Amino acid sequence: MTDDHLQQNRTERAAYWRGVGQLETVPTIRPARGGDPTWPGGSPTFLTVVTPYAGVYASDGLSDAAGVEVYVEGRELVPGSSEGGDWLRDLLEELASSLAGAGDVRAEIVEHGLLSVDLEVPSAPEDWRSDGHVSALLGIHLPGRELAAAVGGGFVPVLTVSPLRPSERAVIEAEGGAGRRRVADALAASGWHSYAETARPAVL
């Protein structure tokens, strides 16, 4: 993919996020030691968006490698917040790095609807970790939010990322796909949907 195509895709992704909230003008770039060949441009890039209710931290360019973009959203992610959302950013960055090396994951999204992952996030609070990992559910629908961005003449899925409590992870381990749906439904019924917050109680 040429630099011109990458820039055009970036412009189209930015248009999607401007429809969500106020887009921070300077992207966050996480330099990889020696570069990251799995990430277009060599370094993972992320965007911050502010809505009337929360902050959004989103991958920017992951779709050029994996076919999807991912984001985490919560009040702790508003720039300048003192409420300790750094671990949520770390979780999103770890997930994006893993997906960048996995190839195109859109077929899995179409087949399963919801995906669950276990990630190493040392900065996460102890009560969010299980066996040294934090679990997350990808793809919970947030009402009113477009599920895909128009990029490169097609549509790129833009997936929510919701960290899970250990008890919620246990449901998924026991029940598989049905467990993922049960956790997602419980989060929606409780009003959390895909929102992430350190103080969120377990819903199952």
Side-chain angles (χ1 to χ4, degrees), residues 40-103:
S43 295
T45 306
F46 301 88
L47 296 174
T48 297
V49 183
V50 179
T51 78
Y53 313 104
V56 173
Y57 193 60
S59 64
D60 183 37
L62 177 62
S63 55
D64 294 326
V68 300
E69 298 290 343
V70 291
Y71 70 96
V72 62
E73 182 169 6
R75 291 178 295 185
E76 295 166 304
L77 295 167
V78 174
S81 171
S82 60
E83 297 184 27
D86 285 347
W87 74 275
L88 296 172
R89 296 182 183 89
D90 292 344
L91 179 145
L92 195 283
E93 291 176 10
E94 178 65 22
L95 171 63
S97 178
S98 297
L99 291 178

Short mmCIF file of all heavy atoms in Angstrom, two decimals, residues 40-103:
data_model
loop_
_atom_site.label_atom_id
_atom_site.label_comp_id
_atom_site.label_asym_id
_atom_site.label_seq_id
_atom_site.Cartn_x
_atom_site.Cartn_y
_atom_site.Cartn_z
N PRO A 40 1.34 -0.75 9.38
CA PRO A 40 1.67 0.17 8.28
C PRO A 40 2.30 1.45 8.83
O PRO A 40 1.80 2.05 9.78
CB PRO A 40 0.32 0.45 7.65
CG PRO A 40 -0.48 -0.77 7.94
CD PRO A 40 -0.06 -1.21 9.33
N GLY A 41 3.42 1.85 8.25
CA GLY A 41 4.13 3.03 8.73
C GLY A 41 5.19 2.70 9.74
O GLY A 41 6.02 3.55 10.08
N GLY A 42 5.19 1.45 10.27
CA GLY A 42 6.26 1.01 11.16
C GLY A 42 6.04 1.25 12.63
O GLY A 42 6.74 0.70 13.45
N SER A 43 5.07 2.10 13.01
CA SER A 43 4.81 2.38 14.42
C SER A 43 3.32 2.44 14.68
O SER A 43 2.58 3.05 13.91
CB SER A 43 5.45 3.71 14.84
OG SER A 43 6.86 3.65 14.78
N PRO A 44 2.86 1.80 15.77
CA PRO A 44 1.43 1.88 16.12
C PRO A 44 0.98 3.31 16.37
O PRO A 44 1.69 4.08 17.03
CB PRO A 44 1.34 1.04 17.40
CG PRO A 44 2.53 0.14 17.35
CD PRO A 44 3.61 0.95 16.68
N THR A 45 -0.18 3.66 15.86
CA THR A 45 -0.71 5.01 15.99
C THR A 45 -2.13 4.94 16.56
O THR A 45 -2.90 4.06 16.21
CB THR A 45 -0.73 5.73 14.63
OG1 THR A 45 0.57 5.68 14.06
CG2 THR A 45 -1.14 7.19 14.77
N PHE A 46 -2.44 5.92 17.44
CA PHE A 46 -3.72 5.93 18.13
C PHE A 46 -4.29 7.34 18.14
O PHE A 46 -3.54 8.33 18.08
CB PHE A 46 -3.58 5.40 19.56
CG PHE A 46 -3.05 4.00 19.61
CD1 PHE A 46 -1.68 3.78 19.64
CD2 PHE A 46 -3.90 2.92 19.59
CE1 PHE A 46 -1.17 2.49 19.65
CE2 PHE A 46 -3.41 1.62 19.61
CZ PHE A 46 -2.04 1.41 19.64
N LEU A 47 -5.61 7.42 18.24
CA LEU A 47 -6.30 8.70 18.28
C LEU A 47 -7.08 8.84 19.58
O LEU A 47 -7.53 7.85 20.16
CB LEU A 47 -7.29 8.81 17.11
CG LEU A 47 -6.72 8.82 15.70
CD1 LEU A 47 -7.87 8.79 14.69
CD2 LEU A 47 -5.86 10.05 15.48
N THR A 48 -7.27 10.08 20.01
CA THR A 48 -8.13 10.38 21.15
C THR A 48 -9.30 11.23 20.67
O THR A 48 -9.11 12.19 19.93
CB THR A 48 -7.36 11.14 22.24
OG1 THR A 48 -6.31 10.30 22.74
CG2 THR A 48 -8.27 11.52 23.40
N VAL A 49 -10.50 10.84 21.07
CA VAL A 49 -11.72 11.54 20.70
C VAL A 49 -12.48 11.85 21.99
O VAL A 49 -12.53 11.01 22.90
CB VAL A 49 -12.60 10.68 19.77
CG1 VAL A 49 -13.85 11.44 19.33
CG2 VAL A 49 -11.80 10.21 18.55
N VAL A 50 -13.07 13.03 22.07
CA VAL A 50 -13.85 13.41 23.24
C VAL A 50 -15.30 13.58 22.84
O VAL A 50 -15.62 14.34 21.92
CB VAL A 50 -13.31 14.71 23.88
CG1 VAL A 50 -14.14 15.11 25.09
CG2 VAL A 50 -11.85 14.56 24.27
N THR A 51 -16.19 12.87 23.51
CA THR A 51 -17.62 13.00 23.30
C THR A 51 -18.20 13.77 24.50
O THR A 51 -17.49 14.05 25.47
CB THR A 51 -18.30 11.62 23.21
OG1 THR A 51 -18.45 11.07 24.52
CG2 THR A 51 -17.48 10.66 22.34
N PRO A 52 -19.49 14.12 24.46
CA PRO A 52 -20.07 14.81 25.62
C PRO A 52 -20.08 13.96 26.89
O PRO A 52 -20.28 14.49 27.98
CB PRO A 52 -21.51 15.09 25.16
CG PRO A 52 -21.44 15.15 23.67
CD PRO A 52 -20.43 14.10 23.31
N TYR A 53 -19.85 12.65 26.76
CA TYR A 53 -19.99 11.75 27.90
C TYR A 53 -18.70 11.06 28.32
O TYR A 53 -18.59 10.60 29.46
CB TYR A 53 -21.03 10.67 27.58
CG TYR A 53 -22.30 11.22 26.98
CD1 TYR A 53 -22.55 11.09 25.62
CD2 TYR A 53 -23.23 11.90 27.76
CE1 TYR A 53 -23.72 11.60 25.06
CE2 TYR A 53 -24.38 12.43 27.20
CZ TYR A 53 -24.63 12.27 25.86
OH TYR A 53 -25.77 12.79 25.30
N ALA A 54 -17.73 10.95 27.41
CA ALA A 54 -16.57 10.11 27.70
C ALA A 54 -15.42 10.46 26.75
O ALA A 54 -15.55 11.28 25.84
CB ALA A 54 -16.94 8.64 27.55
N GLY A 55 -14.31 9.80 26.98
CA GLY A 55 -13.17 9.86 26.07
C GLY A 55 -13.04 8.53 25.34
O GLY A 55 -13.41 7.48 25.85
N VAL A 56 -12.52 8.60 24.13
CA VAL A 56 -12.31 7.42 23.30
C VAL A 56 -10.83 7.33 22.96
O VAL A 56 -10.22 8.34 22.58
CB VAL A 56 -13.13 7.50 22.00
CG1 VAL A 56 -12.78 6.35 21.06
CG2 VAL A 56 -14.62 7.53 22.29
N TYR A 57 -10.25 6.15 23.09
CA TYR A 57 -8.88 5.90 22.66
C TYR A 57 -8.95 4.82 21.59
O TYR A 57 -9.44 3.71 21.86
CB TYR A 57 -8.02 5.46 23.84
CG TYR A 57 -6.54 5.48 23.57
CD1 TYR A 57 -5.88 6.66 23.23
CD2 TYR A 57 -5.79 4.32 23.70
CE1 TYR A 57 -4.52 6.67 23.01
CE2 TYR A 57 -4.42 4.32 23.48
CZ TYR A 57 -3.79 5.50 23.13
OH TYR A 57 -2.42 5.52 22.91
N ALA A 58 -8.51 5.14 20.38
CA ALA A 58 -8.75 4.27 19.23
C ALA A 58 -7.48 4.02 18.42
O ALA A 58 -6.61 4.89 18.30
CB ALA A 58 -9.80 4.91 18.30
N SER A 59 -7.39 2.82 17.87
CA SER A 59 -6.32 2.53 16.91
C SER A 59 -6.53 3.37 15.66
O SER A 59 -7.65 3.70 15.30
CB SER A 59 -6.30 1.04 16.57
OG SER A 59 -7.50 0.66 15.91
N ASP A 60 -5.44 3.68 14.98
CA ASP A 60 -5.51 4.47 13.75
C ASP A 60 -4.56 3.87 12.73
O ASP A 60 -3.37 4.18 12.72
CB ASP A 60 -5.17 5.93 14.01
CG ASP A 60 -5.31 6.80 12.77
OD1 ASP A 60 -6.24 6.55 11.99
OD2 ASP A 60 -4.49 7.73 12.59
N GLY A 61 -5.08 2.98 11.92
CA GLY A 61 -4.25 2.33 10.91
C GLY A 61 -4.19 0.83 11.05
O GLY A 61 -3.65 0.13 10.19
N LEU A 62 -4.74 0.30 12.14
CA LEU A 62 -4.77 -1.15 12.31
C LEU A 62 -5.50 -1.83 11.16
O LEU A 62 -5.12 -2.93 10.74
CB LEU A 62 -5.46 -1.50 13.64
CG LEU A 62 -5.64 -2.97 13.96
CD1 LEU A 62 -4.30 -3.68 14.08
CD2 LEU A 62 -6.45 -3.15 15.25
N SER A 63 -6.53 -1.17 10.62
CA SER A 63 -7.30 -1.77 9.53
C SER A 63 -6.46 -1.99 8.27
O SER A 63 -6.80 -2.85 7.45
CB SER A 63 -8.52 -0.90 9.20
OG SER A 63 -8.13 0.42 8.90
N ASP A 64 -5.39 -1.24 8.12
CA ASP A 64 -4.52 -1.47 6.96
C ASP A 64 -3.76 -2.78 7.08
O ASP A 64 -3.24 -3.29 6.09
CB ASP A 64 -3.52 -0.31 6.82
CG ASP A 64 -4.21 1.01 6.49
OD1 ASP A 64 -5.22 0.99 5.77
OD2 ASP A 64 -3.74 2.07 6.97
N ALA A 65 -3.70 -3.35 8.30
CA ALA A 65 -3.04 -4.63 8.51
C ALA A 65 -4.02 -5.75 8.84
O ALA A 65 -3.88 -6.87 8.35
CB ALA A 65 -2.01 -4.50 9.65
N ALA A 66 -5.03 -5.45 9.69
CA ALA A 66 -5.91 -6.48 10.22
C ALA A 66 -7.35 -6.37 9.73
O ALA A 66 -8.18 -7.21 10.07
CB ALA A 66 -5.88 -6.48 11.75
N GLY A 67 -7.68 -5.30 9.00
CA GLY A 67 -9.02 -5.15 8.45
C GLY A 67 -10.03 -4.55 9.40
O GLY A 67 -11.20 -4.39 9.03
N VAL A 68 -9.63 -4.21 10.65
CA VAL A 68 -10.54 -3.63 11.62
C VAL A 68 -9.81 -2.53 12.39
O VAL A 68 -8.57 -2.47 12.42
CB VAL A 68 -11.05 -4.68 12.64
CG1 VAL A 68 -11.80 -5.80 11.94
CG2 VAL A 68 -9.91 -5.23 13.50
N GLU A 69 -10.59 -1.64 13.01
CA GLU A 69 -10.07 -0.71 14.01
C GLU A 69 -10.73 -1.05 15.35
O GLU A 69 -11.84 -1.61 15.37
CB GLU A 69 -10.37 0.75 13.63
CG GLU A 69 -9.75 1.21 12.33
CD GLU A 69 -8.23 1.36 12.38
OE1 GLU A 69 -7.65 1.41 13.49
OE2 GLU A 69 -7.62 1.40 11.28
N VAL A 70 -10.07 -0.73 16.44
CA VAL A 70 -10.58 -1.04 17.78
C VAL A 70 -10.49 0.20 18.66
O VAL A 70 -9.62 1.06 18.46
CB VAL A 70 -9.81 -2.21 18.42
CG1 VAL A 70 -10.11 -3.51 17.69
CG2 VAL A 70 -8.30 -1.95 18.45
N TYR A 71 -11.38 0.28 19.63
CA TYR A 71 -11.33 1.42 20.55
C TYR A 71 -11.91 1.06 21.90
O TYR A 71 -12.73 0.15 22.03
CB TYR A 71 -12.07 2.63 19.97
CG TYR A 71 -13.57 2.53 19.89
CD1 TYR A 71 -14.39 3.06 20.90
CD2 TYR A 71 -14.21 1.92 18.81
CE1 TYR A 71 -15.77 2.98 20.81
CE2 TYR A 71 -15.59 1.85 18.72
CZ TYR A 71 -16.37 2.37 19.73
OH TYR A 71 -17.74 2.29 19.66
N VAL A 72 -11.45 1.78 22.91
CA VAL A 72 -11.98 1.67 24.26
C VAL A 72 -12.53 3.03 24.64
O VAL A 72 -11.98 4.06 24.24
CB VAL A 72 -10.89 1.18 25.25
CG1 VAL A 72 -9.74 2.15 25.35
CG2 VAL A 72 -11.48 0.89 26.62
N GLU A 73 -13.64 3.06 25.39
CA GLU A 73 -14.33 4.31 25.68
C GLU A 73 -14.75 4.36 27.14
O GLU A 73 -15.30 3.39 27.67
CB GLU A 73 -15.56 4.44 24.78
CG GLU A 73 -16.34 5.73 24.95
CD GLU A 73 -17.38 5.93 23.86
OE1 GLU A 73 -17.56 5.00 23.03
OE2 GLU A 73 -18.00 7.00 23.82
N GLY A 74 -14.49 5.50 27.78
CA GLY A 74 -14.90 5.67 29.17
C GLY A 74 -14.57 7.05 29.68
O GLY A 74 -13.79 7.80 29.07
N ARG A 75 -15.12 7.39 30.83
CA ARG A 75 -14.90 8.73 31.40
C ARG A 75 -13.45 8.95 31.81
O ARG A 75 -12.96 10.08 31.78
CB ARG A 75 -15.82 8.94 32.60
CG ARG A 75 -17.30 9.05 32.21
CD ARG A 75 -18.19 9.22 33.41
NE ARG A 75 -18.17 8.03 34.27
CZ ARG A 75 -18.95 7.88 35.34
NH1 ARG A 75 -19.78 8.85 35.71
NH2 ARG A 75 -18.89 6.76 36.05
N GLU A 76 -12.75 7.89 32.18
CA GLU A 76 -11.36 8.01 32.59
C GLU A 76 -10.43 8.34 31.43
O GLU A 76 -9.26 8.67 31.66
CB GLU A 76 -10.91 6.72 33.26
CG GLU A 76 -11.63 6.42 34.56
CD GLU A 76 -11.41 4.99 35.02
OE1 GLU A 76 -11.71 4.06 34.24
OE2 GLU A 76 -10.97 4.81 36.16
N LEU A 77 -10.93 8.24 30.21
CA LEU A 77 -10.10 8.46 29.03
C LEU A 77 -10.22 9.88 28.48
O LEU A 77 -9.61 10.20 27.45
CB LEU A 77 -10.45 7.45 27.94
CG LEU A 77 -10.12 6.00 28.32
CD1 LEU A 77 -10.77 5.02 27.36
CD2 LEU A 77 -8.62 5.79 28.35
N VAL A 78 -10.98 10.73 29.15
CA VAL A 78 -11.02 12.15 28.75
C VAL A 78 -9.65 12.76 29.05
O VAL A 78 -9.13 12.59 30.15
CB VAL A 78 -12.12 12.90 29.52
CG1 VAL A 78 -12.07 14.39 29.21
CG2 VAL A 78 -13.49 12.33 29.18
N PRO A 79 -9.02 13.43 28.08
CA PRO A 79 -7.70 14.03 28.33
C PRO A 79 -7.73 14.93 29.57
O PRO A 79 -8.64 15.71 29.77
CB PRO A 79 -7.45 14.85 27.06
CG PRO A 79 -8.23 14.14 26.00
CD PRO A 79 -9.47 13.65 26.69
N GLY A 80 -6.72 14.76 30.41
CA GLY A 80 -6.63 15.55 31.62
C GLY A 80 -7.31 14.92 32.82
O GLY A 80 -7.20 15.42 33.94
N SER A 81 -8.02 13.80 32.61
CA SER A 81 -8.69 13.14 33.71
C SER A 81 -7.65 12.61 34.69
O SER A 81 -6.61 12.08 34.30
CB SER A 81 -9.56 11.98 33.22
OG SER A 81 -10.04 11.21 34.29
N SER A 82 -7.93 12.73 35.96
CA SER A 82 -7.02 12.24 37.00
C SER A 82 -7.51 10.91 37.58
O SER A 82 -7.03 10.47 38.62
CB SER A 82 -6.91 13.28 38.13
OG SER A 82 -8.18 13.53 38.71
N GLU A 83 -8.44 10.27 36.90
CA GLU A 83 -9.08 9.08 37.45
C GLU A 83 -8.38 7.76 37.09
O GLU A 83 -8.87 6.69 37.41
CB GLU A 83 -10.55 9.04 37.02
CG GLU A 83 -11.36 10.20 37.55
CD GLU A 83 -12.83 10.08 37.19
OE1 GLU A 83 -13.31 8.95 37.00
OE2 GLU A 83 -13.50 11.12 37.10
N GLY A 84 -7.24 7.83 36.41
CA GLY A 84 -6.44 6.62 36.23
C GLY A 84 -6.85 5.70 35.11
O GLY A 84 -6.97 4.49 35.32
N GLY A 85 -7.03 6.23 33.91
CA GLY A 85 -7.40 5.38 32.78
C GLY A 85 -6.24 4.88 31.97
O GLY A 85 -6.44 4.30 30.90
N ASP A 86 -5.00 5.05 32.47
CA ASP A 86 -3.84 4.65 31.67
C ASP A 86 -3.86 3.16 31.36
O ASP A 86 -3.43 2.73 30.28
CB ASP A 86 -2.54 5.00 32.40
CG ASP A 86 -2.24 6.49 32.35
OD1 ASP A 86 -2.89 7.20 31.56
OD2 ASP A 86 -1.35 6.94 33.10
N TRP A 87 -4.37 2.35 32.29
CA TRP A 87 -4.36 0.90 32.03
C TRP A 87 -5.29 0.54 30.89
O TRP A 87 -5.04 -0.44 30.17
CB TRP A 87 -4.72 0.13 33.30
CG TRP A 87 -6.15 0.16 33.72
CD1 TRP A 87 -6.76 1.11 34.47
CD2 TRP A 87 -7.15 -0.83 33.43
NE1 TRP A 87 -8.08 0.79 34.68
CE2 TRP A 87 -8.35 -0.40 34.06
CE3 TRP A 87 -7.16 -2.04 32.73
CZ2 TRP A 87 -9.54 -1.13 33.99
CZ3 TRP A 87 -8.35 -2.77 32.65
CH2 TRP A 87 -9.51 -2.31 33.27
N LEU A 88 -6.34 1.34 30.68
CA LEU A 88 -7.24 1.10 29.56
C LEU A 88 -6.54 1.39 28.24
O LEU A 88 -6.74 0.67 27.24
CB LEU A 88 -8.50 1.94 29.70
CG LEU A 88 -9.38 1.63 30.90
CD1 LEU A 88 -10.51 2.67 31.02
CD2 LEU A 88 -9.96 0.23 30.81
N ARG A 89 -5.72 2.43 28.22
CA ARG A 89 -4.92 2.72 27.02
C ARG A 89 -3.92 1.59 26.77
O ARG A 89 -3.72 1.15 25.64
CB ARG A 89 -4.21 4.06 27.15
CG ARG A 89 -5.14 5.26 27.24
CD ARG A 89 -4.35 6.56 27.32
NE ARG A 89 -5.23 7.70 27.48
CZ ARG A 89 -5.63 8.18 28.67
NH1 ARG A 89 -5.18 7.60 29.79
NH2 ARG A 89 -6.43 9.21 28.74
N ASP A 90 -3.28 1.13 27.84
CA ASP A 90 -2.32 0.03 27.70
C ASP A 90 -3.01 -1.21 27.15
O ASP A 90 -2.45 -1.92 26.30
CB ASP A 90 -1.68 -0.29 29.05
CG ASP A 90 -0.78 0.82 29.56
OD1 ASP A 90 -0.40 1.69 28.76
OD2 ASP A 90 -0.46 0.81 30.77
N LEU A 91 -4.21 -1.50 27.62
CA LEU A 91 -4.97 -2.65 27.14
C LEU A 91 -5.25 -2.53 25.64
O LEU A 91 -5.06 -3.49 24.88
CB LEU A 91 -6.26 -2.78 27.93
CG LEU A 91 -7.23 -3.92 27.56
CD1 LEU A 91 -7.92 -4.45 28.82
CD2 LEU A 91 -8.29 -3.46 26.56
N LEU A 92 -5.68 -1.34 25.22
CA LEU A 92 -6.01 -1.12 23.81
C LEU A 92 -4.76 -1.26 22.94
O LEU A 92 -4.79 -1.90 21.88
CB LEU A 92 -6.63 0.26 23.64
CG LEU A 92 -7.38 0.62 22.34
CD1 LEU A 92 -6.46 0.94 21.20
CD2 LEU A 92 -8.38 -0.45 21.95
N GLU A 93 -3.64 -0.74 23.41
CA GLU A 93 -2.40 -0.83 22.65
C GLU A 93 -1.91 -2.27 22.54
O GLU A 93 -1.44 -2.70 21.49
CB GLU A 93 -1.34 0.07 23.26
CG GLU A 93 -1.66 1.56 23.11
CD GLU A 93 -0.66 2.45 23.82
OE1 GLU A 93 0.40 1.93 24.27
OE2 GLU A 93 -0.92 3.66 23.93
N GLU A 94 -2.03 -3.02 23.63
CA GLU A 94 -1.62 -4.43 23.60
C GLU A 94 -2.49 -5.22 22.64
O GLU A 94 -2.01 -6.06 21.87
CB GLU A 94 -1.70 -5.01 25.01
CG GLU A 94 -1.34 -6.48 25.11
CD GLU A 94 0.11 -6.77 24.77
OE1 GLU A 94 0.95 -5.84 24.86
OE2 GLU A 94 0.41 -7.92 24.39
N LEU A 95 -3.79 -4.96 22.67
CA LEU A 95 -4.70 -5.65 21.75
C LEU A 95 -4.37 -5.31 20.30
O LEU A 95 -4.30 -6.21 19.45
CB LEU A 95 -6.14 -5.26 22.06
CG LEU A 95 -7.19 -5.72 21.05
CD1 LEU A 95 -7.25 -7.24 20.99
CD2 LEU A 95 -8.54 -5.12 21.37
N ALA A 96 -4.20 -4.03 20.02
CA ALA A 96 -3.92 -3.62 18.64
C ALA A 96 -2.63 -4.25 18.13
O ALA A 96 -2.55 -4.70 16.98
CB ALA A 96 -3.84 -2.10 18.56
N SER A 97 -1.62 -4.32 19.00
CA SER A 97 -0.36 -4.94 18.59
C SER A 97 -0.56 -6.41 18.27
O SER A 97 -0.01 -6.93 17.28
CB SER A 97 0.67 -4.77 19.71
OG SER A 97 1.90 -5.39 19.37
N SER A 98 -1.37 -7.10 19.07
CA SER A 98 -1.64 -8.52 18.82
C SER A 98 -2.39 -8.72 17.51
O SER A 98 -2.07 -9.62 16.73
CB SER A 98 -2.44 -9.11 19.98
OG SER A 98 -1.70 -9.06 21.18
N LEU A 99 -3.40 -7.88 17.27
CA LEU A 99 -4.20 -8.02 16.05
C LEU A 99 -3.39 -7.69 14.81
O LEU A 99 -3.61 -8.29 13.74
CB LEU A 99 -5.43 -7.12 16.13
CG LEU A 99 -6.50 -7.52 17.15
CD1 LEU A 99 -7.63 -6.49 17.13
CD2 LEU A 99 -7.05 -8.91 16.87
N ALA A 100 -2.47 -6.73 14.92
CA ALA A 100 -1.68 -6.33 13.75
C ALA A 100 -0.87 -7.50 13.20
O ALA A 100 -0.63 -7.59 12.00
CB ALA A 100 -0.75 -5.16 14.11
N GLY A 101 -0.45 -8.40 14.08
CA GLY A 101 0.33 -9.55 13.64
C GLY A 101 -0.50 -10.76 13.29
O GLY A 101 0.04 -11.79 12.88
N ALA A 102 -1.84 -10.64 13.43
CA ALA A 102 -2.72 -11.80 13.21
C ALA A 102 -3.29 -11.87 11.81
O ALA A 102 -3.94 -12.87 11.46
CB ALA A 102 -3.86 -11.77 14.23
N GLY A 103 -3.07 -10.84 10.98
CA GLY A 103 -3.69 -10.82 9.66
C GLY A 103 -5.12 -10.33 9.72
O GLY A 103 -5.60 -9.88 10.76
#
